[in-house]
Amino acid sequence: MRRLAFIFSLVLLLGADAPKKPTTAPAKPLEPWETITDKDIASINYDDATEDGGFVTPLAADLSNLEEDTKKERYQLADKMDNWVPGQEKDLVQQVRNWMCLCTFADLGRGLFEAEVPYVVFEKLKRDMPKEKLTKALAYIVLKPDAGTLVLKAPDLGFEDDAPEADVRERHVIYAKKLLGRLVGKLPPKE
């Protein structure tokens, strides 16, 4: 009996020194865009994104200027956008970057609705993504313009030819600033 008591106390003693298994799962590492701070966002300069009616990076204020026939074409394009594969990318920043690239195609003379495509894209993103995630993803694109890959064409949306990579790289960041500036109240400029 003593031997059994000794073995039992030994097991208890050894068990007390055994490492404990964690009761919670280890924290998932943050995605790079999740590390963007309010200070980072506040540091962004919007000077190159204030002009919406110009030749480069135009942006419609709304769609009231479209005639009925043109509105039908725009709605068809919007329907196709819902199924655009690069717009469904799992990586949030890459997905938003793909949408900003799409904004550049019409701007670069690749199709109709030069100022309206960015408007439609912006409205879609604001509707489909939580504001905080969208804000940080856009800020990441602006702060890390050379990161990620660029979409250079979208044949399923009517943009058949490759757009010039350097132009897409430059302008997708300006479009990111335009939407970010609207989300944080920095754009459009107050008169």
Side-chain angles (χ1 to χ4, degrees), residues 125-144:
L125 291 174
K126 289 189 299 188
R127 181 183 68 242
D128 293 352
M129 287 187 186
K131 182 180 179 183
E132 180 183 3
K133 285 184 174 185
L134 181 56
T135 300
K136 286 187 173 196
L138 289 163
Y140 187 85
I141 290 168
V142 171
L143 296 168
K144 306 280 186 189

Side-chain angles (χ1 to χ4, degrees), residues 71-89:
K71 281 184 184 178
K72 287 180 188 175
E73 290 178 52
R74 205 272 315 151
Y75 288 128
Q76 290 171 348
L77 178 61
D79 288 342
K80 290 178 184 177
M81 283 180 179
D82 287 337
N83 298 313
W84 189 50
V85 174
Q88 318 226 343
E89 170 71 39

Side-chain angles (χ1 to χ4, degrees), residues 93-94 97 101 137-151 165-174 176:
V93 172
Q94 188 60 53
R97 188 181 306 281
C101 289
L138 289 163
Y140 187 85
I141 290 168
V142 171
L143 296 168
K144 306 280 186 189
D146 295 324
T149 58
L150 300 176
V151 174
E165 185 172 347
D167 292 341
V168 173
R169 176 78 58 196
E170 175 187 15
R171 293 181 190 196
H172 93 286
V173 173
I174 296 171

Side-chain angles (χ1 to χ4, degrees), residues 48-49 51 54-59 96-110 114 118 122 138 141-142 145-146 150-152 163-179:
D48 60 346
E51 180 60 46
F55 181 71
V56 176
T57 64
L59 173 61
V96 173
R97 188 181 306 281
N98 293 346
W99 286 112
M100 296 302 100
C101 289
L102 180 64
C103 292
T104 70
F105 298 158
D107 174 30
L108 292 167
R110 306 278 186 228
E114 185 176 15
F122 287 5
L138 289 163
I141 290 168
V142 171
D146 295 324
L150 300 176
V151 174
L152 299 177
E165 185 172 347
D167 292 341
V168 173
R169 176 78 58 196
E170 175 187 15
R171 293 181 190 196
H172 93 286
V173 173
I174 296 171
Y175 277 117
K177 283 184 184 183
K178 286 181 180 244
L179 179 50

Side-chain angles (χ1 to χ4, degrees), residues 1 14 38 41 63 80 86-87 112 128 135 149 157 160:
M1 196 64 152
L14 290 174
D38 290 340
I41 295 168
L63 301 177
K80 290 178 184 177
L112 296 174
D128 293 352
T135 300
T149 58
L157 298 178
E160 304 283 336

